[in-house]
Protein backbone atom coordinates (compact mmCIF):
# COMPACT_ATOMS: atom_id res chain seq x y z
CA UNK A 1 0.00 0.00 0.00
CA UNK A 2 1.48 3.40 -0.96
CA UNK A 3 2.48 5.71 1.88
CA UNK A 4 -0.18 8.22 2.79
CA UNK A 5 0.72 11.90 2.97
CA UNK A 6 0.55 13.13 6.57
CA UNK A 7 -1.33 16.44 6.74
CA UNK A 8 -2.48 18.97 9.34
CA UNK A 9 -5.20 21.49 8.55
CA UNK A 10 -5.37 24.90 10.23
CA UNK A 11 -8.95 26.11 9.81
CA UNK A 12 -11.59 28.76 10.55
CA UNK A 13 -14.58 26.46 9.90
CA UNK A 14 -16.22 27.94 7.84
CA UNK A 15 -18.48 26.32 5.20
CA UNK A 16 -15.65 25.50 2.82
CA UNK A 17 -13.24 24.60 5.61
CA UNK A 18 -15.83 21.93 6.48
CA UNK A 19 -15.68 20.77 2.83
CA UNK A 20 -11.89 20.57 3.23
CA UNK A 21 -12.00 18.58 6.47
CA UNK A 22 -14.49 16.13 4.93
CA UNK A 23 -12.14 15.56 1.99
CA UNK A 24 -8.95 15.29 4.08
CA UNK A 25 -10.55 12.79 6.45
CA UNK A 26 -11.89 10.56 3.67
CA UNK A 27 -9.16 10.58 1.03
CA UNK A 28 -7.24 7.30 1.13
CA UNK A 29 -3.97 9.00 0.22
CA UNK A 30 -4.06 11.47 3.10
CA UNK A 31 -3.32 10.85 6.77
CA UNK A 32 -5.08 13.59 8.77
CA UNK A 33 -2.96 14.01 11.90
CA UNK A 34 -4.63 17.03 13.54
CA UNK A 35 -6.85 20.04 12.92
CA UNK A 36 -6.03 23.37 14.54
CA UNK A 37 -8.43 26.27 14.81
CA UNK A 38 -8.11 30.04 14.54
CA UNK A 39 -10.61 32.89 14.61
CA UNK A 40 -11.45 34.05 11.08
CA UNK A 41 -14.64 33.29 9.17
CA UNK A 42 -16.31 32.94 12.58
CA UNK A 43 -15.23 33.64 16.16
CA UNK A 44 -12.92 30.99 17.64
CA UNK A 45 -15.48 29.15 19.86
CA UNK A 46 -17.74 28.68 16.81
CA UNK A 47 -14.80 27.50 14.70
CA UNK A 48 -13.84 24.90 17.32
CA UNK A 49 -17.42 23.64 17.73
CA UNK A 50 -17.96 23.43 13.96
CA UNK A 51 -14.68 21.58 13.47
CA UNK A 52 -15.51 19.04 16.18
CA UNK A 53 -19.01 18.62 14.71
CA UNK A 54 -17.61 17.79 11.27
CA UNK A 55 -15.19 15.23 12.74
CA UNK A 56 -18.01 13.72 14.84
CA UNK A 57 -20.10 13.23 11.69
CA UNK A 58 -17.08 11.66 10.00
CA UNK A 59 -16.57 9.32 12.97
CA UNK A 60 -13.00 10.66 13.18
CA UNK A 61 -13.05 11.60 16.86
CA UNK A 62 -9.47 10.40 17.29
CA UNK A 63 -8.16 13.36 15.26
CA UNK A 64 -6.96 15.95 17.78
CA UNK A 65 -8.49 19.42 17.51
CA UNK A 66 -7.02 22.40 19.31
CA UNK A 67 -8.09 26.01 19.73
CA UNK A 68 -5.54 28.66 18.85
CA UNK A 69 -5.52 32.41 18.36
CA UNK A 70 -8.86 34.13 18.83
CA UNK A 71 -7.72 37.31 17.10
CA UNK A 72 -5.17 38.58 14.58
CA UNK A 73 -1.73 39.74 15.72
CA UNK A 74 -2.56 43.42 15.24
CA UNK A 75 -5.94 43.94 13.61
CA UNK A 76 -9.28 43.70 15.37
CA UNK A 77 -11.08 40.50 14.36
CA UNK A 78 -13.67 40.93 11.60
CA UNK A 79 -15.52 37.71 10.81
CA UNK A 80 -17.33 36.64 7.63
CA UNK A 81 -20.59 35.33 9.07
CA UNK A 82 -22.45 37.25 6.37
CA UNK A 83 -20.97 34.63 4.01
CA UNK A 84 -20.79 31.53 6.26
CA UNK A 85 -24.00 31.92 8.30
CA UNK A 86 -24.62 32.94 11.91
CA UNK A 87 -23.01 29.76 13.28
CA UNK A 88 -20.15 29.97 10.76
CA UNK A 89 -21.15 26.70 9.07
CA UNK A 90 -24.30 27.38 7.11
CA UNK A 91 -26.86 27.25 9.95
CA UNK A 92 -27.68 23.70 8.93
CA UNK A 93 -29.26 22.70 12.22
CA UNK A 94 -26.88 19.79 12.77
CA UNK A 95 -26.44 18.66 16.37
CA UNK A 96 -23.39 20.54 17.61
CA UNK A 97 -20.55 18.53 19.06
CA UNK A 98 -20.35 18.44 22.83
CA UNK A 99 -16.74 17.23 22.80
CA UNK A 100 -14.01 19.36 24.28
CA UNK A 101 -10.97 20.18 22.18
CA UNK A 102 -7.47 19.06 23.07
CA UNK A 103 -6.32 21.01 26.16
CA UNK A 104 -3.23 22.28 24.36
CA UNK A 105 -3.13 25.59 22.51
CA UNK A 106 -3.09 25.03 18.74
CA UNK A 107 0.52 26.21 18.58
CA UNK A 108 1.50 23.58 21.16
CA UNK A 109 -0.39 20.82 19.34
CA UNK A 110 1.31 21.80 16.08
CA UNK A 111 4.70 21.90 17.83
CA UNK A 112 4.22 18.47 19.37
CA UNK A 113 2.91 16.84 16.18
CA UNK A 114 5.69 18.31 14.03
CA UNK A 115 8.46 17.45 16.49
CA UNK A 116 7.11 13.88 16.76
CA UNK A 117 7.12 13.63 12.97
CA UNK A 118 10.71 14.88 12.79
CA UNK A 119 11.77 12.36 15.41
CA UNK A 120 10.09 9.58 13.41
CA UNK A 121 11.86 10.71 10.24
CA UNK A 122 8.63 12.03 8.69
CA UNK A 123 7.54 15.39 7.37
CA UNK A 124 3.99 16.69 7.55
CA UNK A 125 2.32 18.89 4.94
CA UNK A 126 0.81 21.91 6.67
CA UNK A 127 -2.36 23.24 5.02
CA UNK A 128 -3.47 26.60 6.47
CA UNK A 129 -6.98 27.43 5.23
CA UNK A 130 -7.52 30.48 7.40
CA UNK A 131 -5.76 33.61 8.66
CA UNK A 132 -2.23 32.43 9.44
CA UNK A 133 -2.00 33.71 13.03
CA UNK A 134 -1.36 30.26 14.53
CA UNK A 135 1.26 29.42 11.91
CA UNK A 136 3.12 32.71 12.37
CA UNK A 137 3.22 32.20 16.14
CA UNK A 138 4.38 28.61 15.64
CA UNK A 139 7.24 29.37 13.26
CA UNK A 140 8.55 32.29 15.32
CA UNK A 141 8.22 30.51 18.68
CA UNK A 142 9.40 27.03 17.71
CA UNK A 143 11.44 27.35 14.48
CA UNK A 144 12.87 23.85 15.02
CA UNK A 145 9.49 22.44 13.85
CA UNK A 146 10.66 23.15 10.29
CA UNK A 147 12.39 19.75 10.55
CA UNK A 148 8.95 18.15 10.64
CA UNK A 149 7.35 20.17 7.82
CA UNK A 150 7.41 18.86 4.24
CA UNK A 151 5.88 22.05 2.91
CA UNK A 152 3.19 24.63 3.51
CA UNK A 153 0.33 24.96 1.02
CA UNK A 154 -1.93 27.77 2.16
CA UNK A 155 -5.26 29.07 0.96
CA UNK A 156 -4.94 32.81 0.81
CA UNK A 157 -3.85 35.74 -1.25
CA UNK A 158 -4.13 36.32 -4.95
CA UNK A 159 -1.97 37.25 -7.90
CA UNK A 160 -4.82 39.35 -9.27
CA UNK A 161 -8.02 40.48 -7.56
CA UNK A 162 -9.17 40.50 -3.92
CA UNK A 163 -12.45 39.58 -2.22
CA UNK A 164 -12.40 41.12 1.29
CA UNK A 165 -11.31 44.33 -0.44
CA UNK A 166 -10.62 45.14 -4.07
CA UNK A 167 -6.97 44.34 -3.31
CA UNK A 168 -6.90 41.69 -0.63
CA UNK A 169 -8.11 38.14 -0.08
CA UNK A 170 -9.88 37.52 3.26
CA UNK A 171 -7.35 35.24 5.01
CA UNK A 172 -4.43 37.57 4.34
CA UNK A 173 -6.51 40.72 4.90
CA UNK A 174 -7.66 39.40 8.28
CA UNK A 175 -4.09 39.08 9.58
CA UNK A 176 -1.57 40.60 7.15
CA UNK A 177 1.27 40.60 9.68
CA UNK A 178 0.81 36.86 10.23
CA UNK A 179 0.90 36.16 6.50
CA UNK A 180 4.04 38.29 6.12
CA UNK A 181 5.71 36.44 8.99
CA UNK A 182 4.84 33.03 7.53
CA UNK A 183 6.34 33.98 4.16
CA UNK A 184 9.45 35.40 5.82
CA UNK A 185 9.91 32.47 8.20
CA UNK A 186 9.39 29.92 5.41
CA UNK A 187 12.22 31.50 3.43
CA UNK A 188 14.44 31.69 6.53
CA UNK A 189 13.76 28.11 7.55
CA UNK A 190 13.87 26.60 4.06
CA UNK A 191 10.25 25.47 4.05
CA UNK A 192 8.77 25.19 0.53
CA UNK A 193 5.58 27.25 0.36
CA UNK A 194 2.71 27.29 -2.13
CA UNK A 195 -0.13 29.80 -2.45
CA UNK A 196 -3.58 28.52 -3.39
CA UNK A 197 -5.20 31.90 -3.88
CA UNK A 198 -8.24 33.46 -5.47
CA UNK A 199 -6.77 32.91 -8.94
CA UNK A 200 -7.90 29.28 -8.64
CA UNK A 201 -10.05 29.16 -5.48
CA UNK A 202 -13.51 29.65 -7.02
CA UNK A 203 -13.07 27.34 -9.98
CA UNK A 204 -13.76 23.75 -8.79
CA UNK A 205 -17.55 23.77 -8.49
CA UNK A 206 -20.30 21.36 -7.51
CA UNK A 207 -23.82 21.73 -8.91
CA UNK A 208 -27.09 21.89 -6.97
CA UNK A 209 -28.03 18.51 -8.52
CA UNK A 210 -24.79 16.90 -7.35
CA UNK A 211 -25.37 18.36 -3.87
CA UNK A 212 -28.88 16.92 -3.85
CA UNK A 213 -27.50 13.49 -4.80
CA UNK A 214 -25.07 13.62 -1.89
CA UNK A 215 -27.86 14.57 0.53
CA UNK A 216 -30.14 11.81 -0.72
CA UNK A 217 -27.44 9.12 -0.56
CA UNK A 218 -26.46 9.66 3.07
CA UNK A 219 -28.65 12.27 4.76
CA UNK A 220 -27.20 12.08 8.29
CA UNK A 221 -23.61 11.24 7.35
CA UNK A 222 -20.58 12.98 5.83
CA UNK A 223 -21.94 12.97 2.26
CA UNK A 224 -25.20 14.51 3.46
CA UNK A 225 -23.29 17.23 5.29
CA UNK A 226 -21.17 17.89 2.20
CA UNK A 227 -24.30 18.23 0.06
CA UNK A 228 -25.88 20.60 2.58
CA UNK A 229 -22.77 22.79 2.62
CA UNK A 230 -22.84 23.13 -1.17
CA UNK A 231 -26.60 23.69 -1.21
CA UNK A 232 -26.23 26.40 1.43
CA UNK A 233 -23.79 28.29 -0.78
CA UNK A 234 -26.03 27.92 -3.84
CA UNK A 235 -28.91 29.43 -1.84
CA UNK A 236 -26.73 32.17 -0.35
CA UNK A 237 -25.40 33.31 -3.71
CA UNK A 238 -28.46 32.32 -5.80
CA UNK A 239 -26.34 30.17 -8.11
CA UNK A 240 -26.69 26.72 -9.67
CA UNK A 241 -23.24 25.62 -8.49
CA UNK A 242 -20.84 26.47 -5.69
CA UNK A 243 -17.11 26.26 -5.14
CA UNK A 244 -15.52 23.64 -2.90
CA UNK A 245 -13.30 26.54 -1.76
CA UNK A 246 -10.66 25.56 0.78
CA UNK A 247 -11.16 21.90 -0.14
CA UNK A 248 -9.44 22.62 -3.45
CA UNK A 249 -6.20 23.30 -1.59
CA UNK A 250 -6.40 19.85 -0.02
CA UNK A 251 -7.17 18.33 -3.44
CA UNK A 252 -3.93 19.96 -4.63
CA UNK A 253 -1.98 18.06 -1.97
CA UNK A 254 -3.65 14.75 -2.83
CA UNK A 255 -3.37 15.32 -6.59
CA UNK A 256 -0.64 17.90 -7.30
CA UNK A 257 -0.77 17.32 -11.08
CA UNK A 258 -4.04 19.27 -11.21
CA UNK A 259 -2.47 22.55 -10.13
CA UNK A 260 -0.15 24.67 -12.27
CA UNK A 261 2.13 26.73 -10.08
CA UNK A 262 4.92 29.16 -10.93
CA UNK A 263 7.69 30.17 -8.52
CA UNK A 264 7.37 33.93 -8.10
CA UNK A 265 8.63 36.51 -5.58
CA UNK A 266 5.82 37.57 -3.22
CA UNK A 267 5.42 40.24 -0.55
CA UNK A 268 2.47 41.12 1.67
CA UNK A 269 1.40 44.77 1.59
CA UNK A 270 1.28 45.97 5.20
CA UNK A 271 0.89 49.70 4.73
CA UNK A 272 -1.37 50.67 1.86
CA UNK A 273 -4.59 52.51 2.64
CA UNK A 274 -6.51 50.65 -0.04
CA UNK A 275 -4.12 47.78 -0.57
CA UNK A 276 -3.30 46.49 2.94
CA UNK A 277 -3.31 42.70 2.92
CA UNK A 278 -2.62 42.39 -0.81
CA UNK A 279 -0.18 39.71 -1.87
CA UNK A 280 2.14 41.53 -4.26
CA UNK A 281 3.16 38.87 -6.78
CA UNK A 282 6.09 39.88 -8.94
CA UNK A 283 5.54 38.67 -12.51
CA UNK A 284 8.43 40.66 -13.99
CA UNK A 285 11.24 39.12 -15.95
CA UNK A 286 14.07 39.32 -13.44
CA UNK A 287 16.79 39.16 -16.08
CA UNK A 288 16.25 42.91 -16.58
CA UNK A 289 17.93 45.87 -14.88
CA UNK A 290 16.50 46.37 -11.40
CA UNK A 291 18.71 49.18 -10.23
CA UNK A 292 15.86 51.67 -10.55
CA UNK A 293 13.41 49.63 -8.45
CA UNK A 294 13.64 51.04 -4.90
CA UNK A 295 12.11 47.86 -3.45
CA UNK A 296 14.20 45.24 -5.20
CA UNK A 297 13.20 41.61 -5.37
CA UNK A 298 11.36 39.86 -2.54
CA UNK A 299 13.51 37.23 -0.83
CA UNK A 300 10.47 35.00 -0.59
CA UNK A 301 9.74 32.86 -3.61
CA UNK A 302 6.35 31.19 -3.48
CA UNK A 303 4.87 28.55 -5.79
CA UNK A 304 1.85 30.57 -6.87
CA UNK A 305 -1.12 28.62 -8.23
CA UNK A 306 -2.15 30.22 -11.51
CA UNK A 307 -4.21 27.51 -13.16
CA UNK A 308 -6.18 24.51 -12.02
CA UNK A 309 -7.80 21.38 -13.44
CA UNK A 310 -11.06 22.54 -11.92
CA UNK A 311 -13.31 19.77 -13.21
CA UNK A 312 -10.80 17.14 -12.13
CA UNK A 313 -10.71 18.53 -8.58
CA UNK A 314 -14.49 18.82 -8.40
CA UNK A 315 -14.77 15.17 -9.46
CA UNK A 316 -12.04 14.13 -7.03
CA UNK A 317 -13.84 15.87 -4.17
CA UNK A 318 -17.19 14.31 -5.10
CA UNK A 319 -15.76 10.79 -5.48
CA UNK A 320 -13.87 11.09 -2.20
CA UNK A 321 -16.90 12.35 -0.31
CA UNK A 322 -18.96 9.49 -1.75
CA UNK A 323 -16.28 7.15 -0.45
CA UNK A 324 -14.73 6.23 -3.82
CA UNK A 325 -11.08 7.29 -3.26
O1 LIG B 1 -11.09 34.26 0.87
C1 LIG B 1 -11.84 33.07 0.86
C2 LIG B 1 -12.33 32.73 2.25
O2 LIG B 1 -13.19 31.63 2.25
C3 LIG B 1 -11.21 32.32 3.13
O3 LIG B 1 -11.56 32.50 4.46
C4 LIG B 1 -11.08 30.89 2.81
O4 LIG B 1 -10.28 30.20 3.70
C5 LIG B 1 -12.51 30.48 2.78
O5 LIG B 1 -12.97 30.01 4.01
CA1 LIG C 1 -11.12 29.07 5.60
Amino acid sequence: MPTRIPVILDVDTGVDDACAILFAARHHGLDLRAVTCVGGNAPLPDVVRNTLTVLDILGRTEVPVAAGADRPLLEDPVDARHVHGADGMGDLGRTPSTRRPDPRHAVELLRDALRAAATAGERITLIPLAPMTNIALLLRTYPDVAQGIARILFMGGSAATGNATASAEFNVFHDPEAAAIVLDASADLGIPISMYGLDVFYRPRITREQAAELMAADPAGPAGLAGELIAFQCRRFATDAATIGDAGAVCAVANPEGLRTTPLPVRVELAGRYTRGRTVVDHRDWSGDLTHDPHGQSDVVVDVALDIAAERYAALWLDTIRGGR
Side-chain angles (χ1 to χ4, degrees):
M1 184 176 162
T3 314
R4 295 188 301 158
I5 302 169
V7 299
I8 295 178
L9 272 48
D10 186 71
V11 297
D12 59 344
T13 318
V15 169
D16 59 320
D17 302 76
C19 293
I21 296 166
L22 287 163
F23 178 85
R26 286 180 80 97
H27 193 281
H28 296 168
L30 301 178
D31 176 8
L32 180 61
R33 297 281 175 95
V35 183
T36 51
C37 299
V38 65
N41 286 328
L44 184 65
D46 294 337
V47 171
V48 173
R49 183 201 60 236
N50 293 341
T51 300
L52 290 167
T53 301
V54 175
L55 288 166
D56 284 359
I57 291 167
L58 281 156
R60 294 293 306 272
T61 54
E62 86 288 1
V63 176
V65 173
D70 64 358
R71 53 156 298 152
L73 296 177
L74 186 59
E75 292 284 350
D76 290 330
V78 180
D79 65 56
R81 282 181 286 186
H82 58 290
V83 175
H84 294 264
D87 72 353
M89 204 171 73
D91 301 320
L92 303 176
R94 292 269 178 164
T95 306
S97 181
T98 53
R99 285 195 296 132
R100 305 278 307 156
D102 191 285
R104 289 169 288 183
H105 189 280
V107 171
E108 294 167 340
L109 174 56
L110 286 161
R111 175 201 61 196
D112 293 350
L114 293 166
R115 282 183 178 167
T119 302
E122 297 177 318
R123 286 180 184 259
I124 293 175
T125 296
L126 209 51
I127 313 178
L129 303 173
M132 289 199 279
T133 322
N134 287 339
I135 311 304
L137 293 168
L138 170 77
L139 296 178
R140 286 296 194 232
T141 313
Y142 304 111
D144 63 286
V145 300
Q147 301 306 313
I149 300 176
R151 65 183 182 120
I152 294 173
L153 187 150
F154 70 95
M155 189 283 133
S158 167
T161 186
N163 59 0
T165 70
S167 278
E169 181 280 330
F170 176 85
N171 287 344
V172 178
F173 179 74
H174 191 84
D175 195 342
E177 279 72 21
I181 287 170
V182 170
L183 294 193
D184 187 70
S186 296
D188 277 357
L189 300 170
I191 302 169
I193 185 161
S194 303
M195 182 170 105
Y196 185 94
L198 296 180
D199 313 284
V200 293
F201 175 82
Y202 293 110
R203 292 182 49 198
R205 291 166 73 78
I206 303 297
T207 65
R208 272 180 194 265
E209 289 72 26
Q210 289 168 325
E213 283 167 23
L214 289 174
M215 288 188 276
D218 174 28
L225 173 61
E228 288 173 19
L229 292 163
I230 297 296
F232 166 80
Q233 294 187 80
C234 292
R235 282 196 304 278
R236 169 75 74 183
F237 301 113
T239 53
D240 292 330
T243 178
I244 60 172
D246 287 342
V250 190
C251 291
V253 172
N255 187 318
E257 300 77 22
L259 199 67
R260 182 174 67 77
T261 63
T262 303
L264 293 167
V266 177
R267 286 193 174 100
V268 178
E269 172 62 89
L270 297 177
R273 180 174 175 192
Y274 298 114
T275 54
R276 181 163 157 78
R278 182 184 187 94
T279 44
V280 181
V281 177
D282 196 338
H283 298 271
R284 290 176 296 180
D285 175 359
W286 284 99
S287 61
D289 178 5
L290 303 176
T291 50
H292 298 290
D293 178 353
H295 305 129
Q297 181 178 12
S298 171
D299 293 334
V300 184
V301 176
V302 175
D303 280 319
V304 178
L306 295 175
D307 201 4
I308 189 170
E311 288 178 13
R312 185 198 304 184
Y313 280 2
L316 174 63
W317 185 81
L318 261 184
D319 286 351
T320 302
I321 297 300
R322 289 185 189 123
R325 305 259 166 130

Coordinates of all heavy atoms in Angstrom, one line a residue, residues 255-291:
N255 N -3.5 15.5 -5.1 CA -3.4 15.3 -6.6 C -2.7 16.6 -7.2 O -3.3 17.4 -7.8 CB -4.8 15.1 -7.2 CG -4.7 14.8 -8.7 OD1 -3.9 15.4 -9.4 ND2 -5.6 13.9 -9.1
P256 N -1.3 16.7 -6.9 CA -0.6 17.9 -7.3 C -0.6 18.2 -8.8 O -0.4 19.3 -9.2 CB 0.8 17.7 -6.8 CG 0.8 16.3 -6.2 CD -0.5 15.7 -6.2
E257 N -0.8 17.1 -9.6 CA -0.8 17.3 -11.1 C -1.9 18.2 -11.6 O -1.8 18.8 -12.7 CB -0.9 16.0 -11.8 CG 0.2 15.0 -11.5 CD 0.0 14.3 -10.1 OE1 -1.1 14.2 -9.6 OE2 1.0 13.8 -9.6
G258 N -2.9 18.4 -10.8 CA -4.0 19.3 -11.2 C -3.8 20.7 -11.0 O -4.7 21.5 -11.3
L259 N -2.7 21.1 -10.4 CA -2.5 22.5 -10.1 C -1.2 23.0 -10.9 O -0.2 22.4 -10.8 CB -2.3 22.7 -8.6 CG -2.5 24.1 -8.1 CD1 -3.9 24.6 -8.2 CD2 -2.0 24.2 -6.6
R260 N -1.3 24.1 -11.6 CA -0.2 24.7 -12.3 C 0.3 25.8 -11.4 O -0.4 26.8 -11.2 CB -0.5 25.1 -13.7 CG 0.8 25.7 -14.4 CD 0.5 26.0 -15.9 NE -0.4 27.1 -16.0 CZ -0.1 28.4 -15.9 NH1 1.2 28.8 -15.6 NH2 -1.0 29.4 -16.1
T261 N 1.6 25.7 -10.9 CA 2.1 26.7 -10.1 C 3.4 27.3 -10.7 O 4.1 26.6 -11.5 CB 2.5 26.2 -8.7 OG1 3.5 25.2 -8.8 CG2 1.3 25.6 -7.9
T262 N 3.7 28.5 -10.4 CA 4.9 29.2 -10.9 C 5.6 29.8 -9.7 O 5.0 30.5 -8.9 CB 4.5 30.3 -11.9 OG1 3.8 29.7 -13.0 CG2 5.8 30.9 -12.5
P263 N 7.0 29.5 -9.6 CA 7.7 30.2 -8.5 C 7.9 31.7 -8.8 O 8.5 32.0 -9.8 CB 9.0 29.4 -8.5 CG 9.2 28.8 -9.8 CD 7.8 28.6 -10.4
L264 N 7.3 32.5 -7.9 CA 7.4 33.9 -8.1 C 7.7 34.6 -6.8 O 7.2 34.2 -5.7 CB 6.0 34.4 -8.6 CG 5.6 34.0 -10.0 CD1 4.2 34.3 -10.3 CD2 6.5 34.7 -11.1
P265 N 8.4 35.7 -6.8 CA 8.6 36.5 -5.6 C 7.3 37.1 -5.1 O 6.6 37.7 -5.9 CB 9.6 37.6 -6.0 CG 10.2 37.1 -7.3 CD 9.1 36.3 -8.0
V266 N 7.1 37.0 -3.8 CA 5.8 37.6 -3.2 C 6.1 38.4 -2.0 O 7.0 38.0 -1.2 CB 4.9 36.4 -2.9 CG1 3.6 37.0 -2.2 CG2 4.5 35.6 -4.1
R267 N 5.4 39.5 -1.8 CA 5.4 40.2 -0.6 C 4.0 40.5 -0.1 O 3.1 40.4 -0.9 CB 6.1 41.6 -0.7 CG 7.6 41.6 -0.9 CD 8.1 43.0 -0.7 NE 9.6 43.1 -0.7 CZ 10.3 43.4 -1.8 NH1 9.8 43.6 -2.9 NH2 11.6 43.4 -1.6
V268 N 3.8 40.7 1.2 CA 2.5 41.1 1.7 C 2.5 42.6 1.9 O 3.4 43.1 2.6 CB 2.1 40.4 3.0 CG1 0.7 40.8 3.5 CG2 2.1 38.9 2.7
E269 N 1.5 43.3 1.4 CA 1.4 44.8 1.6 C 0.9 45.0 3.0 O -0.2 44.6 3.4 CB 0.4 45.4 0.6 CG 0.1 46.8 0.8 CD 1.3 47.7 0.7 OE1 1.6 48.2 -0.4 OE2 1.9 48.0 1.8
L270 N 1.7 45.7 3.8 CA 1.3 46.0 5.2 C 0.9 47.4 5.4 O 0.4 47.8 6.5 CB 2.4 45.6 6.2 CG 2.8 44.1 6.1 CD1 4.0 43.9 7.1 CD2 1.7 43.2 6.6
A271 N 1.0 48.3 4.5 CA 0.9 49.7 4.7 C -0.2 50.4 3.9 O -0.7 51.4 4.4 CB 2.2 50.4 4.5
G272 N -0.5 49.9 2.8 CA -1.4 50.7 1.9 C -2.8 50.9 2.4 O -3.4 50.1 3.0
R273 N -3.2 52.2 2.2 CA -4.6 52.5 2.6 C -5.7 51.7 2.0 O -6.6 51.2 2.6 CB -4.8 54.0 2.3 CG -6.2 54.5 2.8 CD -6.3 56.0 2.6 NE -7.6 56.4 2.9 CZ -8.0 57.7 2.6 NH1 -7.2 58.5 2.0 NH2 -9.3 58.0 2.9
Y274 N -5.5 51.5 0.7 CA -6.5 50.7 0.0 C -6.0 49.3 -0.4 O -6.7 48.5 -1.0 CB -6.9 51.4 -1.3 CG -7.6 52.7 -1.0 CD1 -7.0 53.9 -1.4 CD2 -8.8 52.8 -0.4 CE1 -7.6 55.1 -1.1 CE2 -9.4 54.0 -0.1 CZ -8.8 55.1 -0.5 OH -9.4 56.3 -0.2
T275 N -4.7 49.0 -0.1 CA -4.1 47.8 -0.6 C -3.6 46.9 0.6 O -3.0 45.9 0.3 CB -3.0 48.1 -1.5 OG1 -2.1 49.0 -0.9 CG2 -3.5 48.7 -2.8
R276 N -3.8 47.3 1.8 CA -3.3 46.5 2.9 C -3.8 45.1 2.8 O -5.0 44.8 2.6 CB -3.7 47.1 4.3 CG -3.2 46.4 5.5 CD -3.3 47.3 6.7 NE -3.4 46.5 8.0 CZ -2.4 45.9 8.6 NH1 -1.2 46.0 8.1 NH2 -2.6 45.2 9.7
G277 N -2.9 44.1 3.0 CA -3.3 42.7 2.9 C -3.2 42.1 1.5 O -3.4 40.9 1.3
R278 N -2.8 42.9 0.6 CA -2.6 42.4 -0.8 C -1.4 41.5 -0.9 O -0.3 41.9 -0.3 CB -2.5 43.5 -1.8 CG -2.4 43.1 -3.2 CD -2.2 44.3 -4.2 NE -2.2 43.9 -5.6 CZ -3.3 43.9 -6.3 NH1 -4.4 44.4 -5.8 NH2 -3.3 43.5 -7.6
T279 N -1.4 40.5 -1.6 CA -0.2 39.7 -1.9 C 0.4 40.3 -3.2 O -0.3 40.1 -4.2 CB -0.5 38.2 -2.0 OG1 -1.7 38.0 -2.7 CG2 -0.6 37.6 -0.6
V280 N 1.5 40.9 -3.1 CA 2.1 41.5 -4.3 C 3.0 40.5 -4.9 O 4.1 40.1 -4.5 CB 3.0 42.8 -3.8 CG1 3.6 43.4 -5.1 CG2 2.1 43.8 -3.1
V281 N 2.5 40.0 -6.0 CA 3.2 38.9 -6.8 C 3.9 39.5 -7.9 O 3.4 40.2 -8.8 CB 2.1 37.8 -7.3 CG1 2.8 36.8 -8.1 CG2 1.4 37.2 -6.1
D282 N 5.2 39.2 -8.0 CA 6.1 39.9 -8.9 C 6.2 39.0 -10.2 O 6.9 38.0 -10.2 CB 7.5 40.1 -8.3 CG 8.3 41.1 -9.1 OD1 8.0 41.3 -10.3 OD2 9.2 41.6 -8.5
H283 N 5.5 39.4 -11.3 CA 5.5 38.7 -12.5 C 6.6 39.1 -13.5 O 6.7 38.7 -14.6 CB 4.2 38.8 -13.2 CG 3.0 38.3 -12.5 ND1 2.6 37.0 -12.5 CD2 2.2 38.9 -11.6 CE1 1.5 36.9 -11.8 NE2 1.3 38.0 -11.2
R284 N 7.5 40.1 -13.0 CA 8.4 40.7 -14.0 C 9.5 39.7 -14.4 O 9.8 38.7 -13.6 CB 9.1 41.9 -13.4 CG 8.2 43.1 -13.2 CD 8.9 44.2 -12.5 NE 9.2 43.9 -11.2 CZ 9.8 44.7 -10.4 NH1 10.2 45.9 -10.8 NH2 10.1 44.4 -9.1
D285 N 10.1 39.9 -15.5 CA 11.2 39.1 -15.9 C 12.5 39.6 -15.2 O 13.0 40.7 -15.5 CB 11.4 39.3 -17.5 CG 12.6 38.6 -18.0 OD1 13.4 38.0 -17.1 OD2 12.9 38.6 -19.2
W286 N 13.0 38.8 -14.3 CA 14.1 39.3 -13.4 C 15.4 39.3 -14.1 O 16.4 39.6 -13.4 CB 14.1 38.5 -12.1 CG 13.0 39.0 -11.3 CD1 11.8 38.4 -11.1 CD2 12.9 40.2 -10.5 NE1 11.0 39.1 -10.3 CE2 11.7 40.2 -9.9 CE3 13.8 41.2 -10.3 CZ2 11.3 41.3 -9.1 CZ3 13.4 42.2 -9.4 CH2 12.2 42.3 -8.8
S287 N 15.5 39.0 -15.4 CA 16.8 39.2 -16.1 C 17.1 40.6 -16.4 O 18.2 41.0 -16.8 CB 16.8 38.3 -17.4 OG 15.8 38.7 -18.2
G288 N 16.1 41.5 -16.2 CA 16.2 42.9 -16.6 C 17.0 43.7 -15.5 O 17.5 43.1 -14.5
D289 N 17.2 45.0 -15.8 CA 17.9 45.9 -14.9 C 17.0 46.3 -13.8 O 16.0 47.0 -14.0 CB 18.4 47.1 -15.7 CG 19.2 48.0 -14.8 OD1 19.4 47.8 -13.6 OD2 19.6 49.1 -15.3
L290 N 17.4 46.0 -12.5 CA 16.5 46.4 -11.4 C 17.0 47.5 -10.6 O 16.5 47.9 -9.5 CB 16.4 45.1 -10.5 CG 15.8 43.9 -11.2 CD1 15.8 42.7 -10.2 CD2 14.4 44.2 -11.7
T291 N 18.1 48.2 -11.1 CA 18.7 49.2 -10.2 C 17.8 50.4 -10.0 O 18.0 51.1 -9.0 CB 20.0 49.7 -10.9 OG1 19.7 50.0 -12.2 CG2 21.1 48.6 -10.9

